[in-house]
Amino acid sequence: MSALAVSVVPGAGEGGARVRLERFAARHDLPVADRLDAVPATRFALALDHGRAALHAPREWPDLGGDPLVIDFAADRRFARPPTRRDALARATGWKAGLRPMVIDLTAGLGRDAWALASGGCRVVAVERHPVVHLLLADALARAAAIPALAEIAGRIRLLHGDVRTGALDAEPAPDHGSVWYLDPMFPERRKSALVKKPMRVFHHLVGRDPDAAELFAWARRQPGARWVVKRPPDASPLDAIVPDVEYRSGRLRFDVYLPVRP
Ligand SMILES: C[S@@+](CC[C@H](N)C(=O)[O-])C[C@H]1O[C@@H](n2cnc3c(N)ncnc32)[C@H](O)[C@@H]1O
């Protein structure tokens, strides 16, 4: 039996999302149910929601709410406008007039940063190790690729499953001195959980924390690149207490930027 406490409710009918759910259940040896209310109350459920893969919290955790977690680049108003060169994300990743870097997003998560970077013109290799998060993002990208207005942006994102340190990038073109390495590790959930939207609480409960973020950063720093960017909450200490060369702030975010070490 898989270690994932997830049941799958692929539903009936046609559609890429349903096929993705069925394959996911088979690959991870997960129990399949024919209805959401048939899933044991202790388990997460992956089900279809309007043709989209959606993650439901275990029913025994009612404070996580009834809103499932779905990634939808077409419906999410945050993505209606691409970032400009003045935005903190663009400045942190080093956009120049007519030039967009290749970004390797080592912690793809829900793909919001990858999408923002790609909608501004960057090519993004996005790496996600959690199988359920990877499935939700793969489903969202496949749906976006089928929408003419979004297909070009989706086509700039290459999503990989795994961890770079165990070979997720091995079949890809080698990163070079122009690559930008991007990390946004999980941060402890804010205590005032009313401030965190319910689907995001589901995400936090599923993924937990990233206690190995410093090791991932140290690994990335040994690779060739133009800069390394770490996203942090504004009042957090820098990752592994390593002071950045530059920082950019925007609302509730801070981007710590590290430049190549000169010999
Ligand atoms: C805070 S979320 C990233 C959110 C993302 N930046 C976004 O815009 O949606 C962190 C994600 O990184 C993933 N992650 C953490 N360490 C990783 C690693 N070493 N390799 C691949 N994924 C990792 C976690 O599973 C989690 O989904």
Side-chain angles (χ1 to χ4, degrees), residues 106-113 127-130 133 162-163 165 182 184-186 203 207 210 216 231:
L106 296 178
T107 54
L110 304 175
R112 293 168 301 186
D113 293 326
V127 189
E128 173 54 49
R129 68 178 168 189
H130 195 292
V133 180
D163 185 316
R165 293 168 297 168
Y182 186 84
D184 174 19
M186 298 292 283
F203 178 62
V207 177
D210 288 328
L216 181 64
K231 185 164 139 185

Side-chain angles (χ1 to χ4, degrees), residues 99-259:
L99 185 105
R100 296 291 181 270
M102 219 283 274
V103 180
I104 305 166
D105 178 354
L106 296 178
T107 54
L110 304 175
R112 293 168 301 186
D113 293 326
W115 188 268
L117 289 161
S119 64
C122 298
R123 295 212 156 268
V124 182
V125 175
V127 189
E128 173 54 49
R129 68 178 168 189
H130 195 292
V132 174
V133 180
H134 176 266
L135 171 87
L136 293 174
L137 185 50
D139 179 62
L141 289 172
R143 283 185 281 104
I147 299 171
L150 301 182
E152 194 178 337
I153 300 173
R156 289 194 202 109
I157 301 175
R158 176 146 168 73
L159 175 64
L160 304 173
H161 184 211
D163 185 316
V164 273
R165 293 168 297 168
T166 49
L169 278 182
D170 285 1
E172 301 299 305
D176 60 26
H177 290 280
S179 304
V180 172
W181 298 86
Y182 186 84
L183 286 84
D184 174 19
M186 298 292 283
F187 212 75
E189 200 174 347
R190 278 183 286 169
R191 242 180 251 139
K192 283 190 184 161
S193 58
L195 291 175
V196 181
K197 290 199 176 131
K198 284 183 174 176
M200 287 310 292
R201 287 188 229 162
V202 179
F203 178 62
H204 279 266
H205 274 77
L206 179 79
V207 177
R209 297 173 63 168
D210 288 328
D212 56 346
E215 287 82 22
L216 181 64
F217 180 51
W219 182 95
R221 285 288 272 162
R222 292 194 293 274
Q223 312 309 310
R227 54 176 68 198
W228 292 257
V229 180
V230 183
K231 185 164 139 185
R232 306 288 282 167
D235 50 356
S237 53
L239 184 56
D240 211 14
I242 303 174
V243 178
D245 294 297
V246 193
E247 63 172 54
Y248 297 94
R249 288 173 183 265
S250 167
R252 286 188 279 113
L253 298 176
R254 192 182 81 223
F255 297 96
D256 290 350
V257 178
Y258 301 83
L259 300 172

Side-chain angles (χ1 to χ4, degrees), residues 9-110:
V9 189
E14 297 301 313
R18 184 182 62 77
V19 173
R20 280 187 281 281
L21 288 186
E22 282 178 348
R23 287 196 186 136
F24 185 81
R27 191 174 323 124
H28 295 280
D29 194 17
L30 296 173
V32 171
D34 56 4
R35 295 185 329 273
L36 259 181
D37 58 10
V39 171
T42 53
R43 296 178 72 80
F44 287 90
L46 270 171
L48 281 187
D49 177 292
H50 299 92
R52 309 168 304 176
L55 180 71
H56 295 255
R59 287 197 309 286
E60 69 170 7
W61 297 342
D63 61 323
L64 296 186
D67 300 334
L69 175 66
V70 177
I71 309 175
D72 193 333
F73 297 115
D76 193 328
R77 296 204 354 250
R78 262 177 302 207
F79 302 118
R81 178 187 79 83
T84 70
R85 275 174 56 207
R86 286 188 302 278
D87 287 319
L89 177 67
R91 297 172 76 198
T93 50
W95 297 12
K96 307 243 175 350
L99 185 105
R100 296 291 181 270
M102 219 283 274
V103 180
I104 305 166
D105 178 354
L106 296 178
T107 54
L110 304 175

